[in-house]
Amino acid sequence: MGRAITDAAEAAAELSRLFSRARRAVFFGGAGVSTASGIPDFRSADGLYHRHFAYPPEEMLGHDFFVTHTAEFYEFYRERMICLTARPNRAHLKLAELEAEGHLAAVVTQNIDGLHQAAGSRTVHELHGSVHRNVCTRCGKTYSAEWVLATEGVPHCEKCGGLVKPDVVLYGEQLDERVLLASVKAIEEADLLVIGGTSLVVYPAAGLVNYFRGDDLVIVNRERTPQDGAADLVCACDIAAAFDF
């Protein structure tokens, strides 16, 4: 492992220096990027996996559960997965600024909340989809998150009556091949890869780090990750504070 930093101000200074000299930087983020926006992550002490529901969250977010318990799935989805009051935090906003200034080529995200786009980021590869797209399984008509929240029970298409499914990757489903290939290409071509707010334990997304061949690998995460030993810089601090530069 390279250098380790626990002070957010020092981390911000280092990130500023690295982004300013990078020719093609990529940010790869997870749920921890959005916790400062009020969206709970999964594995932390306050995360969804440590709360009590009628079924385990891991089960309710699975393809099989969606098929066999569709009404219960949508109850959980509306209550816990859609958060339209959330606003981009400093990390989202800074990443959008860096892209606009030509210092960031792409964002690869495991999040489904759409906050990177809300902050102004344009090149965003959503590995796990988005709550803002909900698609009729019969005719393909797309509905917004607001539309889903306004429905009750199991939502059906206004055009053909088909079942509407969130355009998110549930457990047991494959990642979208086009998004996956675009993410791999972005990481392969990067000279700086900054990984933030992810435990790097969910595959296949976590495996994307192995495609990086650039100069600087940085991890910004409060907890240790399996990739810390390979990083040139590890910033064990709040990610929103680390992007305050």
Side-chain angles (χ1 to χ4, degrees), residues 17 39 42 52 96 124 165 169 213 222:
R17 181 182 68 82
I39 297 179
F42 290 87
H52 296 288
V124 182
K165 180 184 180 297
V169 179
R213 298 291 183 269
R222 286 186 181 275

Side-chain angles (χ1 to χ4, degrees), residues 134-144 146-152 154-165:
N134 301 272
V135 184
C136 174
T137 56
R138 183 182 298 168
C139 74
K141 181 176 173 60
T142 301
Y143 294 91
S144 67
E146 290 85 353
W147 181 88
V148 171
L149 286 177
T151 63
E152 295 181 359
V154 178
H156 288 87
C157 180
E158 296 175 339
K159 179 181 178 182
C160 73
L163 173 65
V164 173
K165 180 184 180 297

Side-chain angles (χ1 to χ4, degrees), residues 81-143:
M81 305 309 294
I82 301 178
C83 185
L84 299 184
T85 59
R87 294 292 178 265
N89 61 56
R90 184 56 187 159
H92 297 108
L93 295 170
K94 188 62 184 183
L95 289 165
E97 290 176 19
L98 289 166
E99 182 186 31
E101 294 167 357
H103 297 302
L104 182 70
V107 169
V108 178
T109 181
Q110 299 173 80
N111 295 340
I112 59 175
D113 51 45
L115 290 179
H116 284 293
Q117 291 91 332
S121 289
R122 299 175 64 85
T123 304
V124 182
H125 304 302
E126 296 175 309
L127 289 170
H128 296 155
S130 173
V131 298
H132 296 282
R133 296 185 302 272
N134 301 272
V135 184
C136 174
T137 56
R138 183 182 298 168
C139 74
K141 181 176 173 60
T142 301
Y143 294 91

